[in-house]
């Protein structure tokens, strides 16, 4: 199995690379569209800003290549911004269009608050129940707001808080986490392992 | 963010010539060991985050030690904030792509607030931590690097927030390393106005000090001396806070 990590010229690249490497894999950093063709599972890291990231992916023909990758039903893990770009519209530094897999907008918190720290997630999917009530590390100033109540079914975990923070999204061969599994110590490693062994639709 | 946010216990470490060091009131630095072994231990003790500042880079205003950062990143699954001497977008990029999850910037923002917008545009606000070193001055506090002595720290924090800083670490220089306890009253004033998470550092020398912080909603606490030169470790600290019924991750 070949694991790719998409480099969009921002992101916490070494953090995610090292976390996969420590689990006993040899991930490849993907910088050009051709490199994506031989990859079986793709990780799209976080720590970036929406507009800059999407502009970069589109300008370098990586956006369309990720769409092809997704359509081939190969598994993708999007972390933080890597999740958010699979929404319809993003509003960080102006409006930009995401992959539109989830009918949601990515907006800032009310009063421009920021969510940084460890929080327990509540899982509503039996396939992922081992992570129920476990603490993961969050670090984000934007979050998903569903436009369509029907798409809420893809939300498999949330934070129990005054604002509803979608924390885990699963749709077809895509998994998106608002938290950072690569920075969530033992429980985060278990989550990444589960993704690396995951077969969609099973 | 509500009550569900867990308390963060954040070891705050200083790097100098590839070693960790610990001082008092920003002077008299002593060797505090190897960064890799120390950080690996903190990771396994479930430190909530780690802050590492390159002291030599901070003093000389040069770029911090990326080689050591890379080595640390290889072993660390805890969120890491790294900085010291960072004054431009290139240095920030190197830090964030070579093993840190947030960049720590101190002095540079006083003269160059545009840098905040530049970093936020590429990496997002959540990746920027601004550091403020506060010193006592006429019954209140001023920023130690502010030679004019005129900037009100609370107004300054608002300006940093407006520009797009994601988090702020306050260090009380006069009590830093003193083990006399946290500056509670001024911290409460800051928290009453702040929109972004604030991390407080300085003076924590025993477990009671941590309790006092948590009782006053000072929930993001950086510690140095308490773990560097004592028998306490993160496990004991969190166990204590848990027994006192505060919400910690254990």
């Amino acid at each position: 199995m070949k694991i790719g990590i998409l480099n969009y010229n921002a992101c916490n690249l070494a953090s995610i690379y090292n976390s996969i490497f420590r689990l006993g894999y040899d991930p490849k950093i993907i910088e050009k569209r051709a490199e994506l063709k031989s990859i079986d599972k793709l990780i799209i890291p976080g720590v970036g800003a929406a507009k800059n990231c999407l502009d970069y992916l589109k300008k370098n023909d990586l956006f369309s290549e990720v769409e092809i990758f997704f359509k081939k039903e190969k598994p993708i893990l999007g972390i933080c911004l890597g999740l958010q770009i699979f929404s319809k519209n993003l509003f960080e530094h102006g409006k930009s269009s995401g992959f539109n897999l989830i009918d949601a907008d990515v907006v800032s918190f009310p009063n421009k608050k920021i969510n940084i720290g460890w929080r327990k997630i509540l899982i509503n999917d039996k396939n992922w129940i081992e992570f129920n009530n476990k603490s993961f590390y969050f670090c984000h100033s934007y979050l998903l707001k569903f436009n369509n109540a029907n798409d809420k079914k893809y939300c498999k975990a949330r934070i129990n808080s005054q604002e509803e923070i979608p924390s885990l999204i699963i749709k077809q061969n895509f998994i998106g986490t608002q938290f950072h599994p690569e920075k969530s110590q033992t429980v985060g490693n278990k989550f990444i392992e589960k993704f690396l062994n995951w077969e969609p639709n099973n | 963010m509500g009550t569900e946010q867990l308390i963060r216990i954040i070891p705050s470490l200083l790097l100098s010539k590839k070693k960790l060091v610990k001082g008092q009131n920003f002077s008299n630095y002593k060797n505090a060991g190897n960064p890799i072994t120390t950080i690996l231990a903190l990771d396994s003790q479930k430190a909530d985050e780690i802050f590492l500042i390159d002291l030599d880079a901070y003093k000389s205003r040069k770029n911090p030690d990326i080689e050591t950062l890379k080595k640390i990143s290889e072993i660390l699954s805890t969120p890491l904030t790294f900085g010291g001497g960072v004054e431009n977008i290139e240095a920030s990029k190197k830090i964030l792509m070579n093993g840190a999850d947030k960049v720590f910037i101190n002095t540079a923002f006083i003269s160059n607030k545009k840098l905040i917008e530049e970093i936020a545009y590429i990496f997002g606000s959540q990746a920027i931590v601004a550091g403020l070193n506060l010193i006592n001055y006429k019954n209140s506090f001023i920023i130690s690097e502010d030679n004019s002595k005129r900037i009100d720290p609370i107004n300054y924090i608002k300006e940093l927030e407006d520009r797009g800083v994601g988090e702020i670490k306050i260090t009380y220089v006069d009590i830093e390393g003193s083990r006399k306890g946290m500056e509670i009253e001024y911290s409460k004033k800051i928290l009453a106005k702040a929109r972004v998470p604030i991390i407080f550092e300085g003076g924590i020398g025993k477990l009671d000090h941590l309790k006092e912080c948590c009782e006053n909603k000072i929930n993001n606490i950086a510690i140095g001396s308490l773990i560097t030169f004592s028998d306490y470790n993160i496990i004991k600290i969190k166990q204590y806070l848990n027994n006192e019924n505060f919400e910690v991750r254990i």
Side-chain angles (χ1 to χ4, degrees):
Chain A
M1 179 176 63
K2 283 206 173 122
I3 300 159
I5 300 171
L6 190 68
N7 178 9
Y8 49 88
N9 207 21
C11 67
N12 60 344
L13 197 62
S15 288
I16 185 75
Y17 177 88
N18 288 320
S19 75
I20 308 296
F21 190 81
R22 277 196 303 273
L23 292 171
Y25 300 90
D26 183 21
K28 187 173 166 42
I29 292 168
I30 305 297
E31 285 170 346
K32 296 193 182 84
R33 63 180 303 173
E35 295 167 339
L36 202 52
K37 295 191 195 301
S38 61
I39 296 298
D40 303 307
K41 289 199 174 187
L42 180 65
I43 297 173
I44 306 179
V47 190
K51 191 171 190 322
N52 181 65
C53 167
L54 285 161
D55 284 353
Y56 183 88
L57 294 178
K58 288 168 188 170
K59 207 165 92 185
N60 292 282
D61 295 328
L62 288 162
F63 190 90
S64 52
E65 200 63 35
V66 170
E67 281 183 320
I68 293 167
F69 188 92
F70 177 78
K71 282 180 187 145
K72 284 183 182 162
E73 297 181 10
K74 293 183 182 182
I76 298 177
L77 171 63
I79 298 170
C80 196
L81 177 63
L83 155 67
Q84 295 176 355
I85 58 175
F86 281 81
S87 302
K88 189 175 183 185
N89 295 308
L90 297 91
F91 292 91
E92 190 175 10
H93 305 127
K95 187 176 171 181
S96 38
S97 307
F99 290 104
N100 200 15
L101 178 69
I102 313 288
D103 190 3
D105 284 348
V106 177
V107 297
S108 57
F109 280 94
N111 196 24
K112 295 207 163 173
K113 288 209 173 197
I114 293 190
N115 179 28
I116 299 179
W118 293 78
R119 304 180 85 160
K120 287 179 181 171
I121 63 168
L122 300 175
I123 298 273
N124 61 26
D125 182 324
K126 61 175 176 13
N127 294 318
W128 297 81
I129 201 73
E130 70 259 45
F131 299 107
N132 189 44
N133 227 15
K134 297 279 188 276
S135 301
F136 286 88
Y137 182 74
F138 288 77
C139 188
H140 60 122
S141 42
Y142 284 75
L143 77 166
L144 265 69
K145 283 269 183 250
F146 291 99
N147 295 322
N148 179 343
N150 202 31
D151 269 25
K152 281 195 181 178
K153 64 174 180 276
Y154 304 119
C155 180
K156 308 295 187 186
R158 60 188 168 82
I159 292 177
N160 189 17
S161 83
Q162 57 215 105
E163 301 98 18
E164 178 102 349
I165 303 176
S167 305
L168 172 63
I169 307 280
I170 303 176
K171 183 177 178 184
Q172 298 161 23
N173 47 317
F174 174 77
I175 296 182
T177 63
Q178 188 55 72
F179 53 84
H180 286 269
E182 81 284 11
K183 290 277 123 179
S184 296
Q185 298 174 347
T186 316
V187 68
N189 289 337
K190 281 186 188 147
F191 188 92
I192 293 172
E193 282 273 25
K194 181 145 176 157
F195 166 73
L196 295 175
N197 293 309
W198 182 59
E199 289 174 28
N201 307 320
N202 273 350
Chain B
M1 297 303 305
T3 53
E4 62 292 314
Q5 184 96 39
L6 300 169
I7 285 162
R8 270 189 289 163
I9 301 295
I10 306 172
S12 175
L13 309 172
L14 292 172
L15 185 69
S16 174
K17 298 180 182 66
K18 316 249 173 221
K19 292 276 183 195
L20 295 180
V21 295
K22 182 73 193 123
Q24 191 173 4
N25 314 110
F26 283 29
S27 58
N28 301 319
Y29 292 100
K30 290 180 196 158
N31 188 339
N34 176 300
I36 310 288
T37 48
T38 301
I39 283 173
L40 197 54
L42 293 168
D43 181 89
S44 64
Q45 291 167 15
K46 291 196 172 183
D48 294 310
E49 291 192 23
I50 292 169
F51 271 59
L52 181 65
I53 311 301
D54 183 331
L55 186 67
D56 305 330
Y58 167 73
K59 285 181 179 167
S60 64
R61 304 182 74 168
K62 283 186 181 145
N63 291 341
D65 180 358
I66 297 292
E67 289 313 307
T68 300
L69 171 66
K70 282 183 182 169
K71 282 186 192 157
I72 289 167
S73 171
E74 287 174 11
I75 52 110
L76 187 65
S77 58
T78 301
L80 176 69
T81 300
F82 186 65
V86 179
E87 301 210 331
N88 54 51
I89 186 76
E90 290 77 20
S92 307
K93 200 167 174 173
K94 262 194 184 156
I95 286 173
L96 289 164
M97 294 191 74
N98 283 293
D101 308 285
K102 295 186 275 189
V103 59
F104 181 84
I105 297 187
N106 184 315
T107 326
F109 286 156
I110 293 176
S111 55
N112 180 13
K113 289 190 191 61
K114 202 146 176 50
L115 180 59
I116 302 170
E117 287 157 18
E118 284 172 19
I119 303 170
Y121 189 76
I122 299 175
F123 290 97
S125 287
Q126 88 296 330
I128 311 169
V129 186
L132 253 68
N133 296 323
L134 299 189
I135 50 175
N136 294 314
Y137 185 70
K138 294 183 179 169
N139 297 321
S140 187
F141 288 89
I142 55 167
I143 300 163
S144 73
E145 291 85 358
D146 164 32
N147 298 325
S148 75
K149 296 184 170 58
R150 285 205 191 111
I151 306 172
D152 172 52
I154 291 176
N155 290 340
Y156 183 67
I157 289 169
K158 184 169 185 318
E159 205 184 340
L160 292 173
E161 289 175 331
D162 290 344
R163 290 277 187 153
V165 158
E167 197 172 28
I168 292 164
K169 181 162 82 92
I170 304 286
T171 305
Y172 293 106
V173 176
D174 302 291
I175 53 172
E176 202 268 330
S178 72
R179 312 183 76 165
K180 289 178 188 162
M182 174 60 70
E183 164 60 47
I184 299 287
E185 289 313 311
Y186 196 71
S187 302
K188 280 164 75 176
K189 278 187 193 170
I190 291 172
L191 285 173
K193 290 272 176 73
R195 208 168 61 203
V196 303
I198 311 280
I199 297 164
F200 291 96
E201 176 176 40
I204 302 287
K206 53 183 187 179
L207 297 177
D208 281 354
H209 294 151
L210 290 166
K211 184 182 171 186
E212 198 185 6
C213 285
C214 296
E215 282 169 347
N216 288 288
K217 301 219 160 34
I218 297 168
N219 288 338
N220 304 314
I221 311 163
I223 48 175
S225 308
L226 187 64
I227 46 162
T228 310
F229 294 123
S230 77
D231 290 336
Y232 294 116
N233 62 36
I234 303 291
I235 298 168
K236 282 185 187 173
I237 288 168
K238 288 191 165 183
Q239 204 62 58
Y240 165 81
L241 289 172
N242 186 55
N243 291 342
E244 296 286 332
N245 289 320
F246 294 110
E247 289 270 346
V248 286
R249 186 180 61 103
I250 51 173

